[in-house]
Each structure stands twice: as C-alpha cells, then as structure tokens.
C-alpha cells in the first residue's frame, strides 16, 4: 500500500476544535516506467472524499461498485466510501487529494454557491478529456499549491487548503453537465439527512453534540433538525442515540465481554452512565437485557432440538 506523504496537522485555529488526526492528504504522481497502484486505506475509506487530476497517461479507479476508466487530461471526484484503489499505467502522472468530510463541508460552505458545491461534493463525477482541455492547466497549480501548503504546515495553512478545495469543487461544478443548483429540499432521503447518517456512522461512539454534527456538515442546527424530522420523524439526537443503542444491543447479544468493557468501547465514561442510557431507552439495564436474550435463545434451542 502506498501511503499519502503530506498531511495537514490538526487543531489549527482556522479549522476549529475538531481533533481529527488528519484532515487532508496529498499525493503527486510523477511518471514512471512501470504501472503503479495506490490502495485507499480501508480505515479511512468511509469518511474521505478523493479528488484526482490526471495530467498524463491512462489509468483506472476501482470503486466499490465497478471501475472508472481514466484518460488524461481528466478530473474525478469520488465521495466518501467510493474509492478502493487507483492504478496508473506506465507514464501516467497527476495529483490526488484526500479530504475529510469536515474539510469538504467547510470548503463548500465558504463559497457564495454553497448549495451547488455541496451537491457537487456528494456526487461521483468524472470530467473527461473533452471538457478538460483548458481545465488541466488551470487546476494543476491548484493541486500543486495544496501540496505545498501541506508540506509547509505554516500558520493559516488549513484556511488556505479549504480555499483551494473550494476552487476544485467550483471547477467541478462549472465543467459538469448536472444542475446542482436545483433545490433538493429536506424530503426523506435528502442530501442533508444522508450526509448526517454518514457522519453519525463515523462518530456515534464519540457522543458528539448536535452542534458539532451541524458544524461538520456545514449547516445550521435548525436546518439539521428540520431535515431529520422530515426524513426520520425525530430529531438528530434521537437518530444518533438509536445508532448507539443498536450497537449496544448487538454487542450485548454477541460479545462475551463484560458490560463495563462494552460501555467503554461505546464511548461511555463509566458503566453507570451506560446503564442509565440503556435503561432509559430499553426499559431494563444492559445486564438484564443480556440475560433475557440468552434465556430466550436457550428456549429456542430446546424447542428446535425436539424437532424430529
């Protein structure tokens, strides 16, 4: 596996308090005599978007569902969970950026066309050679500047990286044939709610407050609450709690670990806090729930064993 060499340090003042170990990474792909392959780190795959600018040669991106053929010059945007690997043929060259969801949200929100850029960021996009005739020379300095800022890691680097990422999204919007300005609304399955579910999946064990979810998504708490009510019939806190409760039930049913260790693994500060949370939602403490599940499973085994 080839690791990305340049990373953006966390806890920059202009990014906020998010303690992400890495927000953005960059790879400059220089021509080589043999084919090369980059494998996207599985641990990071779900929470990162990837931007690929191919300036020379050919390649193929392996996606979760299928493959994407690449021929320079081209620009590809792969939303979180989409990319598995990238293979460049001999002579291929270009740039690849990896950005955490928080950074993508801030980059889209920073533009006066925030709604359009957010819709672009949620799509799989491929801008081919015909549309990229002039865009290659315009975008190459942008990708190079991002790599420079990540290497420099100087004061304000995070804010500059956000600005450059916004430029990349804007170029994608300009060169694509979609109409991302069309309102999506907060209907069931809306973009806001789907992005919220994706972030919940990544961070529900960290017990984020709703204000942090909204900030990461680049929307107001009121907007997030409205989207959740229309899509799920309940507020965003209830959605996050239900995901946490679902994981707790699975672990109590399937894991031999003590309740205290399960509580710790789910981000609770102590067993008592976990007990109160679980009993409030399920009506019984986690220990009692586990015993009841085991007793019911035992009765079912006895019933099945009596079958002829």
């Amino acid at each position: 596996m080839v690791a990305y060499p340049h990373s953006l340090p966390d806890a920059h003042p202009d990014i906020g308090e998010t303690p992400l170990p890495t927000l953005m990474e960059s790879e400059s792909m220089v021509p080589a005599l043999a084919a090369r392959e980059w494998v996207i780190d599985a641990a990071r795959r779900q929470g990162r978007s990837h931007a690929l600018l191919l300036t020379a040669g050919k390649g193929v991106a392996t996606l979760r569902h299928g493959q994407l053929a690449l021929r320079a010059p081209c620009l590809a945007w792969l939303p979180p969970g989409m990319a598995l690997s990238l293979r460049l043929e001999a002579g291929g060259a270009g740039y690849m950026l990896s950005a955490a969801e928080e950074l993508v949200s801030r980059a889209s929100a920073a533009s006066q066309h925030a709604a359009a850029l957010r819709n672009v960021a949620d799509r799989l996009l491929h801008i081919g050679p015909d549309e990229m005739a002039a865009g290659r020379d315009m975008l190459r300095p942008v990708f190079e500047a991002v790599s420079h800022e990540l290497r420099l890691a100087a004061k304000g680097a995070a804010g500059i990286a956000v600005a450059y990422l916004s430029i990349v999204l804007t170029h994608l919007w300009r060169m694509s044939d979609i109409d991302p300005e069309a309102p999506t609304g907060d209907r069931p399955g809306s973009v806001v709610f789907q992005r919220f579910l994706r972030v919940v999946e990544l961070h529900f064990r960290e017990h984020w407050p709703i204000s942090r979810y909204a900030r990461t998504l680049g929307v107001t708490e009121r907007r997030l609450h409205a989207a959740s009510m229309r899509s799920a019939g309940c507020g965003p806190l209830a959605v996050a709690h239900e995901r946490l409760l679902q994981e707790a039930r699975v672990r109590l049913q399937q894991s031999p670990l003590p309740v205290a260790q399960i509580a710790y693994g789910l981000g609770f500060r102590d067993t008592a806090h976990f007990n109160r949370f679980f009993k409030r939602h399920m009506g019984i403490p986690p220990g009692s729930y586990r015993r009841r599940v085991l007793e019911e499973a035992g009765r079912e085994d006895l019933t099945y064993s009596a079958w002829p």
Side-chain angles (χ1 to χ4, degrees), residues 246-286:
Q246 177 190 13
E247 188 70 17
R249 291 197 299 264
V250 169
R251 296 192 184 192
L252 288 168
Q253 293 171 20
Q254 301 179 1
S255 172
L257 292 176
V259 172
Q261 291 189 33
I262 291 177
Y264 179 78
L266 292 174
F268 289 89
R269 61 179 180 267
D270 54 47
T271 308
H273 185 200
F274 177 52
N275 287 344
R276 289 194 298 271
F277 170 84
F278 195 90
K279 186 176 181 179
R280 184 168 69 249
H281 291 278
M282 295 297 297
I284 58 175

Side-chain angles (χ1 to χ4, degrees), residues 94-169:
Y95 307 87
M96 183 162 54
L97 299 179
S98 168
E101 172 61 25
E102 178 169 347
L103 205 65
V104 174
S105 293
R106 291 178 181 273
S108 57
S111 169
Q112 61 178 324
H113 304 292
L117 299 194
R118 184 63 257 184
N119 284 333
V120 165
D122 288 325
R123 301 170 184 258
L124 168 65
L125 291 175
H126 175 232
I127 310 300
D130 293 339
E131 297 85 357
M132 279 290 296
R136 173 181 55 182
D137 294 333
M138 298 174 65
L139 281 168
R140 188 200 302 262
V142 174
F143 279 75
E144 290 179 347
V146 171
S147 295
H148 174 75
E149 288 298 328
L150 297 181
R151 286 193 300 268
L152 190 62
K155 182 178 180 180
I160 293 176
V162 167
Y164 281 130
L165 186 57
S166 181
I167 292 174
V168 173
L169 291 172

Side-chain angles (χ1 to χ4, degrees), residues 1 5-6 10 14-15 24 27 39 52 65 67 78 87-88 94 98 118 125 163 188 210 246 248 270 296 302 306:
M1 184 177 71
H6 308 311
D10 62 330
D14 48 343
I15 280 293
M24 194 177 207
E27 172 77 13
V39 178
L52 171 66
H65 304 291
Q67 293 184 324
L78 310 173
R87 176 181 174 85
L88 286 189
S98 168
R118 184 63 257 184
L125 291 175
I210 297 306
Q246 177 190 13
D270 54 47
E296 291 176 353
L302 289 174

Side-chain angles (χ1 to χ4, degrees), residues 12 23 27 30 40 71 79 91 132 166 189 225 276 281 285 303:
H12 277 75
L23 290 175
E27 172 77 13
V30 298
I40 308 302
R71 181 168 62 88
M132 279 290 296
S166 181
H225 182 79
R276 289 194 298 271
H281 291 278
T303 302

Side-chain angles (χ1 to χ4, degrees), residues 8 37 175 244 266:
L8 183 67
E37 185 170 4
M175 291 185 290
L244 187 60
L266 292 174

